[in-house]
Amino acid sequence: MRLNRILLSAVLVVVALVVQVSVLARLQLPGAVPDLLLLVVLGLAFVYGHVSGALVGFGAGLLADLAPPADHAAGRYALVLCVIGYLAGLVKPETGQLKSAMVPMIGVVSAAIGSTLLYALVGALVGDTAARHVGLGSLLFTAAVYDLLLAPFVVPLVMAAARRTAGDPLADTGGGGDVAAGWLASGTGLRIGSQRGGLRVKAARNRAARAGRIKGVKRL
């Protein structure tokens, strides 16, 4: 991974973990806790690919395993996010950006369910039966709902930041077809692509007007 990718990933992971532990975990919502860390890993994996996604997932999961108030064996969540990051990175097309918001949305639901199942499976292998007492079905449903509701406000922003800092040559082209802008618009009501295009047209008109005034002065 490049240095700028490592720095961005580290900052986003630390911020997501702090928010998740200090805010989301204390909301006392029924069932699962909204997994902001998972959404950050997904957003980075959608842009960076499967190898970087696995590395980011492993690092984020290991940090969550070691951060208080973690009460499970170290490496358990690291394994889960490593697998999820790798699989999410496979979604990235070889020739460019994701063009549809449907793929990331399906990825978020699949990751929420898959990470919960894998976490429970690893826990069962090491003798942790907490998921049985809470109810695995309730955990799966609430994890998918919470993460899907939170995803439009997290994943597009993470993807946009990742593209800009990674120096992706496709980051500034075809803004209307960028899935990050499209999903952010559909999820939050913001029209990022249209605003960007309007600003470009306005700037071009201003330059043309200034050029016309300068030419007029020269003719005089």
Side-chain angles (χ1 to χ4, degrees), residues 60-75:
L62 185 60
L63 188 61
D65 288 332
L66 300 177
D71 56 354
H72 55 268

Side-chain angles (χ1 to χ4, degrees), residues 72-171:
H72 55 268
R76 181 176 172 184
Y77 200 48
L79 173 62
V80 172
L81 287 188
C82 180
V83 174
I84 296 298
Y86 180 85
L87 295 178
L90 295 176
V91 175
K92 177 189 176 183
E94 295 293 336
T95 57
Q97 301 173 355
L98 295 169
K99 296 301 182 181
S100 172
M102 185 61 63
V103 175
M105 291 175 67
I106 295 175
V108 168
V109 176
S110 302
I113 296 175
S115 62
T116 304
L117 285 174
L118 185 56
Y119 186 84
L121 177 61
V122 175
L125 294 177
V126 298
D128 184 0
T129 59
R132 298 180 182 178
H133 303 290
V134 178
L136 185 58
S138 175
L139 286 177
L140 293 175
F141 177 75
T142 53
V145 171
Y146 295 155
D147 290 350
L148 187 59
L149 291 176
L150 189 60
F153 303 95
V154 178
V155 178
L157 298 180
V158 172
M159 293 174 65
R163 286 200 178 101
R164 292 187 179 278
T165 56
D168 189 346
L170 296 178

